[in-house]
Amino acid sequence: MDRLYDELLSVHLSALRQMAFLSGPRQVGKTTSAKCQGDAYLNWDSVSHQMTFLHGAEALGKLAGLEQFREGLPVVVFDDLPNYPHWKKTLKGFFDVYENRCKVVVTGSSKMESSRRGGDSLEGRYFSYRMHPFSVAELMDTNLPGERLIRPPKALGTDEWEALWLHGGFPEPLSKASGRFSRIWQDLRFGQLFKEDIRDMTRIQELPLVGVLGRILAGRSSEQLIVATLAKDVGVAPNTVKAWIQAFCSLHAGFLVRPWSENIAKSLRKEPKWFLRDWSGIGDPGRRAETFIACHLLKAVEGWEDLGYGKFELCYLRDTQKREVDFAVIRDGEPWFLVDVKAADGKLSPSLAFFQKQTGAKHAFQVVIEAGYADMDCFTRETPTIVPARTLLSQFL
């Protein structure tokens, strides 16, 4: 299955000297996309490569074949490199020696995200891209967006829509489209995330209790997280729960959406909402619908930001009168559009008009999962509008 990220890497490697860092959840397709661009493949987890890593930049260059004359610059892929404890030092040395003799793609997950958020010795030597599962738009169009960001609407086939809704956007269960396979895949992924990955990538010792918190959070996608309540349920301190939730986010088990309160009268500062990265195992239709939309919006805002279109943030809105809108997309510090989610068709929520006036957002959408595709550009409307999810989501990434 072709990916948007294949095109992204191709454009990056043809135009920029910096290394391309590709991060994201396990099994999202990072290695496949990187290998599509690569001429040489190096992996710290490969026993045959480990001694070469320990011998430094020149040994890696030799293994990658950089001593040979080639037409054009070869692409060297370092897969899951952050698993190597000294990966930054090694990569800096390699890039400084071979910058003019090759292009570099590096894949990783949680540790690479930590590097992205903080300053480090690699600053100025890489651009970072966050990879997400398949979405409605990516199933139809793997080209990068234009300057407008918003794509023209396009209809996704019924079978593809049902497969995405039922089996999620991770490549393997989506391509199999089998209920039995998806259930086994979900169970294995859950076990790996909340046991093996936590053990290998953090210093958390209370793995059984981490698993308890993981199971609780698996049933609470789209809920506000009350840390004190979670701490009581699990039997640990609130600060411990906060640290564990942050670890889950770093491992891409889920993500947090925080409230937006600027320019909102009587805003209510509340805990963030928690969303799973994979909606396919959520049984409740309302929770699944909100998580489905949240994952699509997160992919869009992170993708637009990584591509250099500005600073984007995904938030939600709520005030002391309990008026609420599920999502607000913030662009360069200003609300751009609002999204409220319904599983089935219904009346337009009055909260959309209220918060559109409060925030000054240009667009306000009530997105309906079960509504059929409508051939309309949702972003031509500047008043609160009911729109099909199939239409709106086709206009993102």
Short mmCIF file of all heavy atoms in Angstrom, two decimals, residues 182-203:
data_model
loop_
_atom_site.label_atom_id
_atom_site.label_comp_id
_atom_site.label_asym_id
_atom_site.label_seq_id
_atom_site.Cartn_x
_atom_site.Cartn_y
_atom_site.Cartn_z
N SER A 182 -7.64 -8.95 13.41
CA SER A 182 -7.58 -7.67 14.12
C SER A 182 -7.60 -7.87 15.63
O SER A 182 -6.87 -7.21 16.37
CB SER A 182 -8.74 -6.77 13.69
OG SER A 182 -8.59 -6.37 12.34
N ARG A 183 -8.44 -8.80 16.11
CA ARG A 183 -8.51 -9.03 17.56
C ARG A 183 -7.19 -9.59 18.09
O ARG A 183 -6.70 -9.17 19.15
CB ARG A 183 -9.67 -9.97 17.89
CG ARG A 183 -11.04 -9.30 17.82
CD ARG A 183 -12.13 -10.21 18.34
NE ARG A 183 -12.40 -11.31 17.42
CZ ARG A 183 -13.25 -11.24 16.40
NH1 ARG A 183 -13.90 -10.11 16.16
NH2 ARG A 183 -13.45 -12.28 15.61
N ILE A 184 -6.60 -10.53 17.38
CA ILE A 184 -5.30 -11.08 17.80
C ILE A 184 -4.23 -10.00 17.76
O ILE A 184 -3.43 -9.85 18.68
CB ILE A 184 -4.91 -12.27 16.89
CG1 ILE A 184 -5.89 -13.43 17.07
CG2 ILE A 184 -3.48 -12.73 17.19
CD1 ILE A 184 -5.71 -14.54 16.06
N TRP A 185 -4.23 -9.20 16.70
CA TRP A 185 -3.25 -8.12 16.54
C TRP A 185 -3.38 -7.11 17.67
O TRP A 185 -2.38 -6.67 18.24
CB TRP A 185 -3.45 -7.46 15.18
CG TRP A 185 -2.42 -6.44 14.83
CD1 TRP A 185 -1.25 -6.64 14.16
CD2 TRP A 185 -2.48 -5.03 15.10
NE1 TRP A 185 -0.58 -5.44 14.00
CE2 TRP A 185 -1.30 -4.46 14.57
CE3 TRP A 185 -3.41 -4.21 15.74
CZ2 TRP A 185 -1.04 -3.09 14.67
CZ3 TRP A 185 -3.14 -2.85 15.85
CH2 TRP A 185 -1.97 -2.30 15.31
N GLN A 186 -4.61 -6.73 18.01
CA GLN A 186 -4.84 -5.77 19.09
C GLN A 186 -4.34 -6.30 20.43
O GLN A 186 -3.70 -5.58 21.21
CB GLN A 186 -6.32 -5.42 19.19
CG GLN A 186 -6.86 -4.61 18.04
CD GLN A 186 -8.38 -4.70 17.91
OE1 GLN A 186 -9.05 -5.21 18.80
NE2 GLN A 186 -8.90 -4.22 16.80
N ASP A 187 -4.61 -7.58 20.71
CA ASP A 187 -4.16 -8.17 21.99
C ASP A 187 -2.64 -8.19 22.07
O ASP A 187 -2.07 -7.87 23.11
CB ASP A 187 -4.71 -9.59 22.13
CG ASP A 187 -6.22 -9.62 22.39
OD1 ASP A 187 -6.77 -8.57 22.76
OD2 ASP A 187 -6.82 -10.69 22.19
N LEU A 188 -1.99 -8.57 20.98
CA LEU A 188 -0.53 -8.62 20.98
C LEU A 188 0.07 -7.22 21.13
O LEU A 188 1.06 -7.02 21.84
CB LEU A 188 -0.03 -9.27 19.70
CG LEU A 188 -0.29 -10.78 19.57
CD1 LEU A 188 0.11 -11.26 18.18
CD2 LEU A 188 0.47 -11.55 20.63
N ARG A 189 -0.52 -6.25 20.45
CA ARG A 189 -0.02 -4.88 20.54
C ARG A 189 -0.19 -4.32 21.94
O ARG A 189 0.70 -3.66 22.47
CB ARG A 189 -0.75 -3.99 19.52
CG ARG A 189 -0.24 -2.55 19.49
CD ARG A 189 -0.83 -1.77 18.34
NE ARG A 189 -0.32 -0.42 18.28
CZ ARG A 189 -0.87 0.62 18.91
NH1 ARG A 189 -1.98 0.44 19.62
NH2 ARG A 189 -0.34 1.81 18.83
N PHE A 190 -1.34 -4.61 22.56
CA PHE A 190 -1.58 -4.15 23.92
C PHE A 190 -0.53 -4.73 24.87
O PHE A 190 0.06 -4.02 25.68
CB PHE A 190 -2.98 -4.54 24.38
CG PHE A 190 -3.32 -4.06 25.77
CD1 PHE A 190 -3.93 -2.83 25.96
CD2 PHE A 190 -3.03 -4.84 26.89
CE1 PHE A 190 -4.24 -2.39 27.24
CE2 PHE A 190 -3.33 -4.40 28.17
CZ PHE A 190 -3.93 -3.17 28.34
N GLY A 191 -0.28 -6.02 24.75
CA GLY A 191 0.70 -6.66 25.61
C GLY A 191 2.08 -6.10 25.42
O GLY A 191 2.83 -5.90 26.38
N GLN A 192 2.45 -5.84 24.16
CA GLN A 192 3.77 -5.30 23.88
C GLN A 192 3.93 -3.88 24.42
O GLN A 192 4.94 -3.55 25.05
CB GLN A 192 4.02 -5.31 22.38
CG GLN A 192 5.44 -4.85 22.00
CD GLN A 192 5.66 -4.90 20.50
OE1 GLN A 192 4.84 -4.41 19.74
NE2 GLN A 192 6.76 -5.50 20.07
N LEU A 193 2.90 -3.05 24.22
CA LEU A 193 2.98 -1.67 24.66
C LEU A 193 3.09 -1.55 26.17
O LEU A 193 3.94 -0.84 26.69
CB LEU A 193 1.75 -0.89 24.18
CG LEU A 193 1.73 -0.42 22.72
CD1 LEU A 193 0.37 0.12 22.36
CD2 LEU A 193 2.80 0.65 22.50
N PHE A 194 2.21 -2.25 26.88
CA PHE A 194 2.09 -2.05 28.32
C PHE A 194 2.96 -3.00 29.14
O PHE A 194 2.94 -2.95 30.36
CB PHE A 194 0.63 -2.15 28.74
CG PHE A 194 -0.22 -1.04 28.18
CD1 PHE A 194 -1.15 -1.29 27.19
CD2 PHE A 194 -0.06 0.25 28.62
CE1 PHE A 194 -1.92 -0.26 26.66
CE2 PHE A 194 -0.82 1.28 28.10
CZ PHE A 194 -1.75 1.03 27.13
N LYS A 195 3.72 -3.85 28.48
CA LYS A 195 4.63 -4.73 29.20
C LYS A 195 6.05 -4.57 28.65
O LYS A 195 6.91 -3.97 29.28
CB LYS A 195 4.15 -6.18 29.11
CG LYS A 195 2.83 -6.42 29.83
CD LYS A 195 2.39 -7.88 29.69
CE LYS A 195 1.03 -8.10 30.37
NZ LYS A 195 0.56 -9.50 30.20
N GLU A 196 6.29 -5.06 27.45
CA GLU A 196 7.64 -5.07 26.90
C GLU A 196 8.19 -3.66 26.69
O GLU A 196 9.31 -3.36 27.11
CB GLU A 196 7.66 -5.84 25.59
CG GLU A 196 7.32 -7.32 25.73
CD GLU A 196 7.33 -8.02 24.38
OE1 GLU A 196 7.97 -7.51 23.45
OE2 GLU A 196 6.68 -9.08 24.26
N ASP A 197 7.42 -2.78 26.03
CA ASP A 197 7.95 -1.46 25.71
C ASP A 197 8.16 -0.62 26.96
O ASP A 197 9.14 0.12 27.07
CB ASP A 197 7.00 -0.74 24.74
CG ASP A 197 7.02 -1.37 23.36
OD1 ASP A 197 7.88 -2.23 23.12
OD2 ASP A 197 6.17 -1.02 22.52
N ILE A 198 7.22 -0.69 27.89
CA ILE A 198 7.38 0.04 29.16
C ILE A 198 8.62 -0.46 29.89
O ILE A 198 9.42 0.31 30.41
CB ILE A 198 6.14 -0.15 30.05
CG1 ILE A 198 4.96 0.69 29.51
CG2 ILE A 198 6.43 0.23 31.49
CD1 ILE A 198 5.10 2.18 29.74
N ARG A 199 8.81 -1.76 29.91
CA ARG A 199 9.97 -2.34 30.59
C ARG A 199 11.28 -1.94 29.91
O ARG A 199 12.25 -1.57 30.57
CB ARG A 199 9.85 -3.86 30.59
CG ARG A 199 11.01 -4.59 31.28
CD ARG A 199 10.99 -6.06 30.92
NE ARG A 199 11.19 -6.25 29.48
CZ ARG A 199 10.69 -7.27 28.79
NH1 ARG A 199 9.96 -8.19 29.39
NH2 ARG A 199 10.93 -7.38 27.49
N ASP A 200 11.29 -1.97 28.59
CA ASP A 200 12.53 -1.74 27.86
C ASP A 200 12.91 -0.27 27.75
O ASP A 200 14.09 0.07 27.69
CB ASP A 200 12.43 -2.32 26.44
CG ASP A 200 12.32 -3.84 26.45
OD1 ASP A 200 12.63 -4.45 27.48
OD2 ASP A 200 11.90 -4.40 25.42
N MET A 201 11.93 0.62 27.74
CA MET A 201 12.20 2.02 27.43
C MET A 201 12.04 2.96 28.62
O MET A 201 12.26 4.16 28.49
CB MET A 201 11.30 2.49 26.28
CG MET A 201 11.56 1.75 24.99
SD MET A 201 10.59 2.41 23.63
CE MET A 201 11.07 1.30 22.31
N THR A 202 11.62 2.48 29.77
CA THR A 202 11.49 3.31 30.95
C THR A 202 12.10 2.59 32.14
O THR A 202 12.52 1.45 32.05
CB THR A 202 10.01 3.62 31.26
OG1 THR A 202 9.39 2.44 31.80
CG2 THR A 202 9.25 4.06 30.03
N ARG A 203 12.11 3.27 33.28
CA ARG A 203 12.61 2.68 34.51
C ARG A 203 11.47 2.28 35.44
O ARG A 203 11.67 2.05 36.63
CB ARG A 203 13.54 3.66 35.22
CG ARG A 203 14.79 4.00 34.42
CD ARG A 203 15.68 4.96 35.17
NE ARG A 203 16.88 5.26 34.41
CZ ARG A 203 17.85 6.11 34.82
NH1 ARG A 203 17.71 6.72 35.99
NH2 ARG A 203 18.90 6.33 34.07
#
